[in-house]
Amino acid sequence: MDTIYYTVRAINGDYADLVADDGGQHAITMFLLPEGTTLGSRLKLENFQWELV
């Protein structure tokens, strides 16, 4: 699996709206994201693991 970088664009309750560096959009539950994820956070998805960058 390729490494994908995202930026948190919005947080709506229990969900985060993400935008990838290539412009793709994704919504995911906050439960799956690393602790400390906030609006504007940069995230890396690699091998199904999320990491704050």
Side-chain angles (χ1 to χ4, degrees):
M1 179 177 179
D2 292 334
T3 301
I4 306 171
Y5 290 90
Y6 290 95
T7 301
V8 178
R9 180 176 64 172
I11 296 176
N12 301 311
D14 291 335
Y15 288 87
D17 293 327
L18 310 177
V19 63
D21 287 353
D22 67 3
Q25 297 180 15
H26 188 66
I28 189 166
T29 179
M30 291 291 292
F31 176 78
L32 296 175
L33 299 177
E35 187 174 330
T37 299
T38 60
L39 186 63
S41 290
R42 292 281 294 155
L43 300 168
K44 177 174 80 169
L45 176 61
E46 185 174 40
N47 296 323
F48 303 104
Q49 297 287 324
W50 290 97
E51 180 182 330
L52 274 170
V53 182

